[in-house]
Amino acid sequence: HEARYTGIGASEAAAALGLSHYKQPGDVYNEKRGNVPDWDVPEHMLRGRDVESAILKSFLRITGKSASEVPCPMYRHDSSGFILATPDAMLEGDETHECKSTSVWNAKRIFEGGPEELPPEWVCQVQQQLLVTGFSVGHIAVMADIHTFKIFSIEADDYIHERMVAVEGELWERVLDGVPPEPDWTLSNVEKYVRRLYSVREGTIIESSQPSNLWEKQKVIGKIIDRLKKERSLIRSKFEYEFGENEYMCLDSGLILR
């Protein structure tokens, strides 16, 4: 557990590179600086870990490959020691393996779209594993249920690896120096990220570079959002009341609600 604070892990690579849909480089910074309290692992993530052995077993049976190491220790890049990786399994023939369980809906989208639809978090994770191990191929086995299983193979990409060394290196320097990266203002979690950056020093004051009308604007926006939420809730309640015990409802436009 403590070793995770000595570098940037493969599961954090997409966030560190600014490619994650859920986290930003600043979230990685906060976690490495100890600004984020320990949290209980959600139940769905625990279940995902529980089925990893079954996913690996299916992968090995389907491909005929053999695992050389399960579970794997944390590996560290030879020259850039802050870059870490812990594959779910190491395979004979110098290949890595990663197990992923997801929803049926998400699996359907990925399976129909092909490798291009793989989440950047997964792709970056495998690329960082290949960077650290020096291997050329990594596999992702994805399962949603017993009927939904597919394997994707990812080849090492030198350009991505160069970017990882450069970008994660800059981020790690910021972690060591205590200099947070500029927030990504487009992400929904930016407010939570900013709040975690600093502890409050009582009695201190700073002059803002932002215009005062911007603060007034956010107050107005907040009131509009509150009003719209109440209006939406009222409309939904009217439809739910009409639903009664019925499973479906037909609108005058022909649209079927469920």
Side-chain angles (χ1 to χ4, degrees):
H1 178 74
E2 292 300 325
R4 296 185 69 252
Y5 292 97
T6 66
I8 298 172
S11 61
E12 301 163 326
L17 295 173
L19 299 176
S20 173
H21 298 304
Y22 312 104
K23 299 171 68 175
Q24 56 181 295
D27 291 307
V28 179
Y29 170 89
N30 274 333
E31 290 168 3
K32 302 306 174 182
R33 293 286 299 180
N35 297 336
V36 181
D38 290 336
W39 52 286
D40 295 329
V41 180
E43 180 60 31
H44 73 277
M45 291 183 65
L46 293 175
R47 288 196 297 271
R49 293 177 183 177
D50 291 341
V51 301
E52 284 182 0
S53 58
I55 295 175
L56 175 59
K57 187 176 181 179
S58 295
F59 169 83
L60 296 177
R61 184 182 68 251
I62 293 170
T63 62
K65 295 180 180 295
S66 300
S68 59
E69 192 165 20
V70 182
C72 296
M74 177 180 286
Y75 295 97
R76 195 178 294 273
H77 191 270
D78 288 340
S79 57
S80 301
F82 53 85
I83 299 181
L84 313 173
T86 310
D88 287 334
M90 302 285 272
L91 307 176
E92 299 287 352
D94 293 344
E95 298 175 345
T96 65
H97 171 73
E98 192 66 27
C99 305
K100 296 297 180 185
S101 55
T102 187
S103 66
V104 173
W105 178 86
N106 197 37
K108 184 175 184 294
R109 176 180 59 80
I110 294 172
F111 292 1
E112 292 179 352
E116 293 77 14
E117 287 297 323
L118 286 171
E121 292 81 4
W122 296 3
V123 175
C124 289
Q125 183 176 14
V126 173
Q127 285 291 348
Q128 182 148 317
Q129 291 170 357
L130 297 176
L131 169 62
V132 171
T133 60
F135 295 170
S136 58
V137 178
H139 306 280
I140 302 178
V142 185
M143 184 179 78
D145 56 30
I146 60 173
H147 304 290
T148 314
F149 188 93
K150 193 166 185 177
I151 299 167
F152 296 90
S153 298
I154 297 176
E155 295 184 354
D157 188 303
D158 291 339
Y159 174 76
I160 294 177
H161 293 176
E162 290 175 4
R163 293 297 300 160
M164 283 179 166
V165 172
V167 176
E168 292 184 31
E170 180 184 351
L171 179 59
W172 189 246
E173 285 297 321
R174 288 180 173 274
V175 171
L176 296 177
D177 296 338
V179 181
E182 179 75 13
D184 182 347
W185 303 105
T186 64
L187 292 182
S188 59
N189 72 337
V190 64
E191 185 176 3
K192 183 184 294 183
Y193 158 60
V194 171
R195 286 177 177 173
R196 285 174 170 169
L197 276 179
Y198 307 106
S199 57
V200 176
R201 291 181 295 161
E202 294 185 6
T204 58
I205 187 170
I206 186 174
E207 184 174 340
S208 175
S209 62
Q210 307 296 330
S212 58
N213 65 330
L214 190 61
W215 181 256
E216 295 303 319
K217 182 179 180 180
Q218 68 85 25
K219 290 168 64 177
V220 172
I221 292 174
K223 291 179 180 178
I224 294 174
I225 291 174
D226 289 341
R227 187 177 72 247
L228 290 176
K229 283 183 177 180
K230 291 179 181 178
E231 185 176 349
R232 180 172 184 261
S233 178
L234 176 61
I235 294 173
R236 289 182 64 90
S237 296
K238 289 182 177 180
F239 279 100
E240 290 172 0
Y241 177 76
E242 284 195 357
F243 258 106
E245 297 178 349
N246 300 288
E247 183 177 3
Y248 300 94
M249 175 186 288
C250 182
L251 301 182
D252 55 8
S253 64
L255 179 65
I256 302 297
L257 303 180
R258 182 178 183 182

